[in-house]
Amino acid sequence: MRHLKAHRKLGRTSEHRMSMLRNLTVSLINSHEERIVTTLPKAKELRPFVERVITLSRKASNLAGDDTAARALHLRRQAAGFFHAGNMQQAALTGKRGQLRPPRTAGMAALKRLFDELGERYKDRPGGYTRIMKLGQRVGDNAELAIIELVDNPNEREALASAKKRKTTTGKKKKPASKRKQTEYATEVEASTPPDEES
């Protein structure tokens, strides 16, 4: 029996697996289209990992009360544990004379975007922040591919707005073609017949 043996191993050691999930999370949050293509088992493992982080940012955006700043900082630090730490060195110079501190890593950029943008977007959503769509088999190794994306992304909202706009512009009812032809025929007949002669 497989008691207490949840999650897929994905053919990796624990450290490698956690590092891979962190990298995939950073890629998903930082991507411009807010979607990534990966294999289906990886996408299914990534979904709860990403949703836990987004829940932390959503909690931070819903805070109210006296110690809001302290609690928000605590939630931000909890979420930072889901990403690679990055360059935490705070000195202005690295130690070599004249060299500036290296820029922060993509994990820090993802954390910033998570709390600034995504927390506000999903403020009223109680869960289900991601969607998985199957793509079929990969040509080389026949692995099943999938797209994992964040819901309510800008592309999706833009498509919904354009569909709504199309619906409102084409919503005006026109006469059916048969009735239009009948009315045109009736006007032609009236025009062609001479007026009745009075006797």
Side-chain angles (χ1 to χ4, degrees):
M1 286 183 257
R2 297 187 70 251
H3 294 309
L4 300 176
K5 298 211 176 356
H7 307 294
R8 296 164 180 84
K9 299 290 186 278
L10 300 173
R12 290 163 170 82
T13 60
S14 299
E15 295 84 8
H16 188 181
R17 189 167 54 249
M18 285 304 296
S19 183
M20 182 196 65
L21 288 174
R22 287 174 175 175
N23 285 332
L24 287 172
T25 303
V26 168
S27 298
L28 179 62
I29 291 174
N30 283 341
S31 76
H32 183 66
E33 296 87 15
E34 296 184 1
R35 62 168 53 187
I36 57 172
V37 178
T38 184
T39 61
L40 185 62
K42 285 182 192 174
K44 286 181 176 180
E45 278 301 303
L46 181 62
R47 172 182 254 172
F49 195 82
V50 170
E51 293 198 357
R52 281 190 208 110
V53 182
I54 295 176
T55 299
L56 291 172
S57 69
R58 186 177 66 85
K59 285 180 183 177
S61 64
N62 285 332
L63 286 177
D66 300 335
D67 57 346
T68 304
R71 290 169 61 198
L73 179 62
H74 176 61
L75 288 168
R76 185 178 286 263
R77 285 178 174 166
Q78 279 182 316
F82 285 81
F83 302 106
H84 288 297
N87 301 316
M88 299 304 290
Q89 182 179 359
Q90 294 300 319
L93 300 175
T94 60
K96 293 183 179 179
R97 183 178 253 165
Q99 289 185 349
L100 296 176
R101 182 176 61 187
R104 302 304 287 268
T105 61
M108 295 297 113
L111 188 66
K112 184 176 186 325
R113 181 164 189 261
L114 184 70
F115 278 83
D116 293 347
E117 185 180 331
L118 298 180
E120 288 298 318
R121 184 196 299 176
Y122 298 122
K123 192 172 187 177
D124 301 323
R125 191 180 188 99
Y129 315 111
T130 56
R131 176 186 301 124
I132 295 176
M133 295 177 289
K134 294 180 182 179
L135 284 180
Q137 311 296 328
R138 187 160 52 195
V139 174
D141 58 354
N142 208 30
E144 192 168 2
L145 293 178
I147 293 176
I148 182 167
E149 68 178 3
L150 299 175
V151 298
D152 294 337
N153 57 38
N155 296 336
E156 187 179 332
R157 281 181 277 164
E158 184 179 313
L160 285 173
S162 65
K164 194 177 206 182
K165 187 176 180 183
R166 263 188 273 122
K167 185 178 178 183
T168 57
T169 57
T170 59
K172 298 175 183 174
K173 291 194 174 184
K174 296 181 179 178
K175 288 184 180 178
S178 60
K179 287 188 178 180
R180 238 182 294 137
K181 287 181 182 176
Q182 288 174 357
T183 55
E184 289 172 4
Y185 178 73
T187 54
E188 287 176 14
V189 169
E190 288 175 9
S192 63
T193 56
D196 292 335
E197 295 177 9
E198 295 178 10
S199 4

